[in-house]
Amino acid sequence: MGHYATVMNSEPDQAERTFERIIGNSAALESVLEQVEQVAPTDSTVLIEGETGTGKELIAHAIHNASQRCGRAFIKFNCAAIPLDLLESELFGHEKGAFTGAIAQKIGRFEMADKGTLFLDEVGDIPPALQPKLLRVLQEQEFERLGSGRTHKVDVRLVAATNRNLDKMVARGQFRSDLYYRLNVFPILLPALRERREDIPALVTHFVKIFSRRMGKPIDSIPSEMMVAFQWHSWPGNIRELQNLVERAVILSRDGVLPNPLHKKQRDPMIPGLHRTRTFHSSMIVEDSDRALILETLEQADWIVGGARGAAAKLGLKRTTLLAKMKRLGISRPLRDDGPDFLGVA
């Protein structure tokens, strides 16, 4: 899930601590966090779906932190990172001598997570031969270590994640339907970064603070063309890609100014305002960058807000959301000599 996302909360309460690493206040993100708040107090299994780099691990942490298991173990395990012949041992453990090389007893992830939460990332990579054993532990809360006939009981809350389409895998016979339905009790779909572009300035600011402090390189300003380019980038790698690009930019920075780390071939030549040199100073980066992007886009759209060619569509926002942002930022169309001040709708 990465390290991504801060719900802006005025009170330093449990909810704020739960979401303290979750940056943004877009409608798409708020919807996800509402679902987290709904499911967290239960012990129900959660399936987090979304593209790579969208922050699935962070949402899993938030579910654990908002649950009654907070304070107990949160064990994470990437099913795609372990060789298939070791996967069963890693999940369920083994006894000494269970197989060649098993020189000592090993405790598996399910035992480690007893009374806590187990986060299984890339659950779609669980091989078919191991899926029945996973289904059993989810249904019965019991299993056997490799090389042992003794049944172990556990109390584990499972949160699983995948960037694969499990429904299609079931249709192709690559994933057991009964396991899929057992995992899919409460699905949460994370939005791609391109679906929550209004969060990009806050995310950039967040990562700039982290990396500038870590590298001892203070950043005083972010050029508007760099922030605009970020908000128009397609972000195939989502927040993880943004984090890495901000780190690169801080490394390349000079005199406290953040350069644009996007390669020229990644920059959209039609992005408005890239020729400008105005900068955002650290105390007003987020609000000023929002204002700059909205103004640039409105000018490009000839101040048409709605419709397929309007500014809202270009920004990936609902018309009402854009109008609310414009009101908050005090943005209105400049008066013209040849007509009244108005906001058009295509």
Side-chain angles (χ1 to χ4, degrees), residues 2-22:
H3 317 288
Y4 322 112
T6 300
V7 169
M8 305 306 176
N9 193 322
S10 59
E11 299 179 1
D13 56 10
Q14 177 60 39
E16 182 174 323
R17 291 192 296 272
T18 297
F19 301 128
E20 63 185 352
R21 296 171 62 201
I22 301 182

Side-chain angles (χ1 to χ4, degrees), residues 31-315:
S31 176
V32 168
L33 299 184
E34 286 177 8
Q35 294 176 71
V36 169
E37 290 179 330
Q38 289 173 331
V39 75
T42 74
D43 272 337
S44 297
T45 300
V46 179
L47 179 62
I48 305 172
E49 300 173 285
E51 297 177 9
T52 182
T54 49
K56 293 185 282 292
E57 182 180 332
L58 198 62
I59 294 299
H61 265 291
I63 292 169
H64 174 73
N65 291 340
S67 74
Q68 298 192 8
R69 295 174 184 262
C70 182
R72 301 280 187 169
F74 177 86
I75 304 297
K76 58 184 180 181
F77 181 73
N78 190 322
C79 301
I82 303 296
L84 297 182
D85 56 341
L86 296 178
L87 195 55
E88 183 174 2
S89 171
E90 290 293 329
L91 285 173
F92 305 110
H94 64 249
E95 298 293 344
K96 180 179 179 180
F99 53 85
T100 302
I103 59 176
Q105 184 189 74
K106 178 182 178 62
I107 302 299
R109 296 307 200 279
F110 273 95
E111 281 186 84
M112 293 180 188
D114 192 26
K115 302 296 190 296
T117 301
L118 176 60
F119 172 54
L120 289 185
D121 199 5
E122 306 298 349
V123 72
D125 286 74
I126 294 278
L130 195 54
Q131 292 175 19
K133 195 164 185 177
L134 178 59
L135 177 63
R136 180 194 171 196
V137 73
L138 293 180
Q139 290 179 332
E140 309 295 336
Q141 293 278 292
E142 62 182 31
F143 66 94
E144 289 86 34
R145 295 186 194 133
L146 280 173
S148 170
R150 179 188 170 194
T151 298
H152 294 267
K153 298 287 290 185
V154 287
D155 175 15
V156 173
R157 199 263 182 87
L158 184 75
V159 178
T162 183
N163 59 13
R164 305 176 69 177
N165 190 319
L166 295 187
D167 197 26
K168 290 184 178 179
M169 291 181 67
V170 169
R172 293 194 298 262
Q174 298 172 330
F175 203 86
R176 288 179 63 110
S177 60
D178 48 4
L179 177 57
Y180 169 63
Y181 297 132
R182 187 65 186 80
L183 291 171
N184 199 38
V185 174
F186 194 91
I188 296 178
L189 178 61
L190 300 193
L193 186 56
R194 61 184 174 275
E195 297 168 348
R196 42 177 292 217
R197 294 182 186 275
E198 58 266 51
D199 290 335
I200 289 175
L203 285 161
V204 170
T205 304
H206 173 71
F207 290 127
V208 164
K209 288 179 180 178
I210 289 175
F211 292 119
S212 64
R213 183 170 57 245
R214 186 177 298 172
M215 299 178 195
K217 298 184 69 174
I219 301 297
D220 301 314
S221 62
I222 300 177
S224 60
E225 62 266 25
M226 179 266 192
M227 191 68 85
V228 171
F230 264 43
Q231 290 195 266
W232 284 74
H233 184 53
S234 59
W235 298 112
N238 292 291
I239 304 173
R240 186 177 296 120
E241 180 187 3
L242 183 146
Q243 178 183 357
N244 293 338
L245 281 174
V246 170
E247 181 177 6
R248 181 191 304 170
V250 174
I251 293 171
L252 297 171
S253 66
R254 294 180 179 178
D255 301 322
V257 178
L258 199 72
N260 188 346
L262 289 168
H263 295 301
K264 289 185 178 179
K265 64 181 180 180
Q266 293 177 293
R267 303 178 190 179
D268 188 340
M270 298 304 293
I271 294 175
L274 288 184
H275 61 285
R276 304 193 179 184
T277 58
R278 187 167 69 89
T279 60
F280 301 126
H281 294 283
S282 57
S283 62
M284 300 183 68
I285 286 172
V286 174
E287 184 170 312
D288 278 4
S289 60
D290 275 350
R291 184 191 302 275
L293 178 64
I294 290 172
L295 283 170
E296 298 281 6
T297 309
L298 283 166
E299 290 172 4
Q300 185 194 40
D302 197 25
W303 287 84
I304 294 173
V305 176
R309 294 181 297 172
K314 293 178 182 295
L315 290 167

